[in-house]
Amino acid sequence: MLKLLKTHFGYDTFRPLQKEIIDTVLAGKDTLVLMPTGGGKSLCFQLPALALPGITLVVSPLIALMKDQVDALCANGISAAFLNSSLSPREQLDVMSRARAREIKILYVAPERIGSFGFYDFLVDLNVSLLAIDEAHCISEWGHDFRPEYRNLASLRMKIPQTPVIALTATATPYVRDDILSQLNIRKEGVFTSGFNRENLHYHVRPKLNTFARLVELMEEHKGESVIVYCFSRKNTEDVAEKLTKAGFRSASYHAGLPQKERERVQEQFIRDEVPIIVATIAFGMGIDKPDVRLVVHMDLPKTIEGYYQETGRAGRDGLPSECVLYYSYADRRKQEFFINQIEDDHEQKLAIRKLDDMVEYCQNIVCRRFFLLMYFGEKDVPTFCNACDNCVKPDVEEEDATEIAQKILSAILKTGERFGSAHVCDVLRGSKKKRIVELGHNHLSVHGIASDIPIGALRTYIESLKTLGYIAQNEGEYPTLNVTQKGRLALMDKSVITLPAVDVVKEVKQSARSSKSDLAYDVRVFEKLRALRKEIADAQNVPPFIIFGDRTLHEMAFYLPSTLEKMSTLFGVGDKKLEAFGEPFLACVMDSVREFDLQENDKPRGAKSPLTRSSSGVSTTLQETKELLIQKLSIEEMAVQRGLSPGTIIQHIEKLVYAEDGLDIAHLKPAESEFHEMKKGFERNRHATLTSVFKQFNEKYSYDELRLARLFL
Ligand code: ADP
Ligand code: ZN
């Protein structure tokens, strides 16, 4: 099997579970494979297909993808074809007769084919060794993508009872999973699940502040790479795409309102590396199987964690490090809520709000993002620290007690009648005597000039932080005005402590926490040359560039600089067929580069794996201070007083500390037994175990802080 893997796919090792699955398939048993996007599901039926005597039938709903998959197989020297409505009747007959003549090893078919007239007769003539069902969740009405034609599969199985089946999906809740098993009559022992962690994806949430400027910086870092930017509205996608293009980053917009032809064109340009950046609504993605998307940006708050996970999942299918960046502002919650309020069904509306709150919680959460996501999807034994998300990597933003300035800002907004924007509120606070201020009589308000000592930039930042944390909100419109939310009013009335990110530090928090693009320190100039060559060859053959070679392969070429075809054949993704077809031109390109840039070849050590780098995380000073008080066994309140921070902030520190290091003694902070017991039950009853859902379940009996604390003991 390893030989087949290297010869046909150019890979040296199996990904987790692939070998076990392939073994089971070859033993003639039925399997259900649950793996995240990019986990390497296809290989689980493609490799057995090569070893089995007959044909492998692959059912897939994504007609647009069939051609790419078949092209990719053919490029690897595997005889594959597809049957769907995009072919002319003549072409279809041709494929069928080639299949009968045993000239095809892997045949992709659209699900509607299966119920069609004459299909079973056709099957009888074939020797079907394996039935593969891709996107198997489509068979279930519980899933998010039910396809009635998938129901034909149950009867198809009956027609060829001897043939083993392999069903594959990336999205399966326990319901859907059981549904697939029962409909396809697969036994529980045949289930393989690799867990849903996408190790190579790095998650970041950043404040929605000067977002376009931040976006441009991100694009600068990812220049030339494939990027998807998700926006909430169609109009936004067009605006952002236009502005990016003006700023020198070629991009196209994509949404369901565009004509079909235009959408196809945009997709095609993206897949062929002609337009690197797509700015899209969530309509974009289904049917995109581009392996080298390096960055997925969310400009607005997604509606659900499920959706967010699926959208970010489109990054880094090839396993190389890729980034997911979400710009968050609490104000976005209200935007989404506005739409949710229009849902008529009461139950659905409530469900939508709950999911939205979970999403907000993800954004505001201060512990490991990956931990949060995987817990949400019900995974067991998830590490609490990944070292590859903003919360694990970034130095903590120092917080300060900003109660006084926050109260001033909130009062100024209220006293001016919640009818003005941030600029005017700042003018009032700083005691400006501008004509407009005087005309409105705002120079006589008690709040006039009460923050004259604070620089304008700092004031603006405080306002933004208050927005992000939901103390104030901004009405959208031609003249955006600020108003104070319920949360803000309560804080003002109760004189609660308000902690905000310390202003002088806010600016210093580097936006970029990007780790290196690959474990290999390859020469970027050589990589660019190889990339250009790849594009040229791909265009000549009318296929997407990634079908020629993936990025990882080009990285290895640009690093090892192989001087012979034999050495080139040892590189990742270089199989026999590809070596024969493309080896010469790529070798020539490498040789040219070696001469041009005066470089030295590096020999690839046999069987070497890239070392996993894992740097230790230094705990920041603010956490360190809290930790010292914790060790002295102070109570939450005492620590809050000592540190001049709110109890909530202290609890967050403790949460971070507990998750970042083992063996910290916090026993003295455990809630009273009966309450703890009740909260524990609450978390256990709750499927996703998010704070928001438990908070609501108890009808706000326990505060978020109490729940947070209790959770540490679970
Ligand atoms: P999925 O269908 O699970 O989303 P794919 O089957 O498309 O994932 O695989 C994702 C990428 O990983 C593809 O580019 C594939 O060639 C690559 N891949 C699969 N198996 C291996 C392996 N054993 N070693 C290296 N790369 C692999
Ligand atoms: Zn993390």
Side-chain angles (χ1 to χ4, degrees):
M1 280 191 289
L2 278 173
K3 178 133 198 319
L4 283 178
L5 184 68
K6 180 65 194 167
T7 312
H8 285 282
F9 298 93
Y11 306 139
D12 290 320
T13 51
F14 283 109
R15 292 249 184 96
L17 287 186
Q18 282 179 332
K19 184 172 177 310
E20 290 81 348
I21 295 165
I22 292 169
D23 275 341
T24 313
V25 170
L26 289 177
K29 298 199 190 113
D30 297 335
T31 48
L32 168 59
V33 176
L34 306 162
M35 272 190 193
T37 310
K41 286 187 287 301
S42 315
L43 204 82
C44 299
F45 59 83
Q46 290 171 345
L47 196 72
L50 297 175
L52 290 166
I55 195 169
T56 291
L57 214 54
V58 187
V59 179
S60 163
L62 305 171
I63 292 186
L65 287 187
M66 282 187 196
K67 188 170 179 312
D68 284 349
Q69 300 212 346
V70 166
D71 282 347
L73 286 168
C74 293
N76 278 321
I78 298 166
S79 62
F82 62 87
L83 267 182
N84 65 34
S85 52
S86 74
L87 296 181
S88 69
R90 218 210 156 97
E91 289 168 322
Q92 297 190 20
L93 284 177
D94 179 49
V95 169
M96 287 165 79
S97 68
R98 276 170 53 218
R100 281 197 201 93
R102 317 267 138 121
E103 284 168 17
I104 293 173
K105 265 329 276 179
I106 303 182
L107 179 64
Y108 283 76
V109 292
E112 51 273 15
R113 243 335 99 161
I114 294 163
S116 74
F117 183 73
F119 188 73
Y120 292 129
D121 294 338
F122 167 59
L123 274 192
V124 174
D125 292 345
L126 304 179
N127 169 19
V128 184
S129 286
L130 177 64
L131 174 62
I133 300 175
D134 212 359
E135 312 291 338
H137 57 275
C138 294
I139 204 170
S140 173
E141 278 169 299
W142 296 98
H144 55 82
D145 194 23
F146 173 56
R147 311 257 174 150
E149 318 87 64
Y150 260 61
R151 287 288 153 97
N152 292 327
L153 289 168
S155 55
L156 173 66
R157 280 224 72 189
M158 249 106 66
K159 294 265 171 21
I160 43 171
Q162 269 22 293
T163 308
V165 67
I166 174 170
L168 312 104
T169 175
T171 47
T173 60
Y175 285 129
V176 177
R177 194 187 73 181
D178 291 345
D179 208 11
I180 299 174
L181 291 180
S182 79
Q183 295 209 39
L184 292 175
N185 199 11
I186 299 175
R187 290 201 270 173
K188 277 216 155 55
E189 300 82 69
V191 178
F192 290 87
T193 171
S194 70
F196 282 74
N197 186 17
R198 297 286 312 276
E199 234 172 62
N200 60 319
L201 300 192
H202 298 186
Y203 301 98
H204 306 262
V205 178
R206 292 170 185 170
K208 203 165 168 172
L209 248 170
N210 299 327
T211 321
F212 188 73
R214 294 288 92 79
L215 185 65
V216 166
E217 287 169 13
L218 261 183
M219 295 303 155
E220 202 66 65
E221 281 176 45
H222 289 271
K223 200 144 189 152
E225 299 175 351
S226 292
V227 175
I228 306 176
V229 180
Y230 284 110
C231 296
F232 183 66
S233 73
R234 296 176 181 184
K235 172 127 196 354
N236 280 352
T237 65
E238 286 168 7
D239 292 348
V240 172
E242 197 185 311
K243 276 164 75 183
L244 278 176
T245 303
K246 275 203 188 118
F249 301 93
R250 186 138 189 253
S251 44
S253 79
Y254 181 105
H255 55 73
L258 296 174
Q260 177 70 18
K261 275 253 140 42
E262 170 70 6
R263 276 189 287 164
E264 277 169 14
R265 198 178 60 91
V266 172
Q267 276 204 14
E268 192 66 18
Q269 286 179 323
F270 184 59
I271 290 186
R272 300 203 168 205
D273 286 349
E274 274 148 23
V275 173
I277 306 165
I278 298 292
V279 188
T281 59
I282 55 172
F284 183 76
M286 224 358 202
I288 293 288
D289 207 353
K290 195 167 180 2
D292 51 5
V293 175
R294 291 276 85 85
L295 167 70
V296 169
V297 182
H298 282 79
M299 299 293 278
D300 303 291
L301 185 69
K303 284 200 243 331
T304 65
I305 291 180
E306 285 86 347
Y308 175 68
Y309 204 62
Q310 192 169 34
E311 284 137 34
T312 52
R314 296 184 180 126
R317 274 165 171 268
D318 55 8
L320 293 182
S322 308
E323 281 187 284
C324 309
V325 176
L326 187 162
Y327 290 107
Y328 167 71
S329 150
Y330 189 82
D332 274 359
R333 187 190 175 286
R334 301 175 117 218
K335 252 196 245 170
Q336 293 280 16
E337 204 178 356
F338 173 79
F339 289 96
I340 293 176
N341 285 337
Q342 294 171 2
I343 298 177
E344 284 179 5
D345 184 288
D346 200 44
H347 173 72
E348 265 180 42
Q349 194 185 67
K350 282 220 177 75
L351 192 69
I353 289 285
R354 214 183 62 208
K355 291 202 173 271
L356 183 60
D357 283 335
D358 289 341
M359 190 67 226
V360 168
E361 189 177 326
Y362 168 79
C363 297
Q364 295 191 346
N365 164 51
I366 45 126
V367 298
C368 177
R369 310 253 182 227
R370 190 181 313 275
F371 172 68
F372 184 100
L373 290 168
L374 295 177
M375 287 296 282
Y376 183 85
F377 291 114
E379 258 180 48
K380 306 269 183 298
D381 303 323
V382 183
T384 52
F385 188 84
C386 77
N387 209 12
C389 73
D390 53 354
N391 281 343
C392 286
V393 169
K394 83 180 166 200
D396 288 276
V397 177
E398 293 282 342
E399 295 200 334
E400 63 181 349
D401 181 346
T403 312
E404 191 184 328
I405 182 63
Q407 286 177 349
K408 287 178 178 171
I409 293 170
L410 296 176
S411 313
I413 296 171
L414 288 171
K415 290 258 161 71
T416 51
E418 300 180 289
R419 289 188 293 116
F420 298 90
S422 147
H424 188 84
V425 172
C426 287
D427 281 346
V428 171
L429 283 165
R430 288 174 40 83
S432 154
K433 299 255 169 51
K434 274 186 188 155
K435 194 156 152 248
R436 189 160 153 74
I437 300 268
V438 177
E439 272 170 13
L440 289 161
H442 285 175
N443 52 336
H444 298 307
L445 294 175
S446 59
V447 288
H448 188 251
I450 52 170
S452 53
D453 54 331
I454 303 214
I456 179 77
L459 211 46
R460 287 239 171 86
T461 309
Y462 283 124
I463 291 181
E464 283 307 323
S465 298
L466 287 168
K467 257 203 291 197
T468 307
L469 292 171
Y471 289 97
I472 58 182
Q474 182 166 319
N475 289 342
E476 298 301 324
E478 199 178 345
Y479 303 104
T481 59
L482 296 175
N483 56 64
V484 179
T485 61
Q486 186 68 10
K487 178 175 174 183
R489 281 166 208 268
L490 280 178
L492 205 52
M493 251 175 356
D494 296 349
K495 303 198 168 52
S496 10
V497 176
I498 299 177
T499 40
L500 297 178
V503 159
D504 48 339
V505 193
V506 167
K507 281 181 239 108
E508 284 169 26
V509 176
K510 279 276 290 167
Q511 282 281 325
S512 150
R514 181 179 169 82
S515 55
S516 70
K517 296 189 194 192
S518 163
D519 353 326
L520 291 176
Y522 59 87
D523 192 300
V524 182
R525 298 166 302 182
V526 183
F527 174 67
E528 288 306 332
K529 280 181 78 132
L530 293 166
R531 227 166 95 97
L533 174 65
R534 173 175 72 177
K535 175 79 181 129
E536 205 178 291
I537 296 178
D539 285 350
Q541 306 209 350
N542 201 24
V543 294
F546 59 78
I547 285 190
I548 308 296
F549 282 125
D551 279 2
R552 168 95 186 263
T553 306
L554 298 197
H555 289 171
E556 291 209 350
M557 284 184 195
F559 179 77
Y560 295 115
L561 304 166
S563 57
T564 62
L565 282 177
E566 201 197 333
K567 284 183 180 168
M568 183 169 278
S569 76
T570 65
L571 302 186
F572 179 90
V574 185
D576 292 359
K577 173 81 185 189
K578 284 196 178 168
L579 187 71
E580 189 191 316
F582 315 118
E584 298 281 359
F586 280 90
L587 190 66
C589 183
V590 168
M591 293 293 86
D592 277 354
S593 310
V594 166
R595 247 171 283 137
E596 181 178 345
F597 306 123
D598 194 17
L599 300 168
Q600 283 274 314
E601 175 179 13
N602 292 307
D603 274 326
K604 184 175 179 173
R606 274 190 69 81
K609 287 231 184 93
S610 41
L612 247 177
T613 43
R614 199 169 257 273
S615 61
S616 67
S617 75
V619 164
S620 72
T621 45
T622 182
L623 285 186
Q624 200 58 42
E625 281 175 37
T626 304
K627 184 176 161 187
E628 270 153 32
L629 300 180
L630 181 68
I631 292 170
Q632 296 167 30
K633 303 264 183 296
L634 264 54
S635 71
I636 301 282
E637 287 70 28
E638 287 164 340
M639 287 189 254
V641 172
Q642 287 252 341
R643 298 266 356 248
L645 296 169
S646 71
T649 305
I650 296 293
I651 292 177
Q652 295 195 355
H653 283 182
I654 294 172
E655 220 178 353
K656 281 208 109 165
L657 287 167
V658 169
Y659 286 153
E661 33 191 291
D662 293 330
L664 215 53
D665 181 12
I666 53 165
H668 66 289
L669 302 175
K670 191 165 178 179
E673 197 49 49
S674 63
E675 292 185 347
F676 176 65
H677 190 72
E678 192 177 37
M679 288 189 268
K680 180 168 178 235
K681 279 268 146 58
F683 277 105
E684 282 164 1
R685 262 200 305 276
N686 210 281
R687 202 157 58 89
H688 295 310
T690 55
L691 291 173
T692 320
S693 46
V694 180
F695 179 69
K696 290 198 173 162
Q697 184 186 326
F698 285 120
N699 285 320
E700 314 188 1
K701 174 175 172 188
Y702 296 107
S703 71
Y704 274 93
D705 287 344
E706 286 171 304
L707 292 172
R708 249 182 225 286
L709 197 56
R711 187 167 65 173
L712 289 179
F713 294 90
L714 294 175

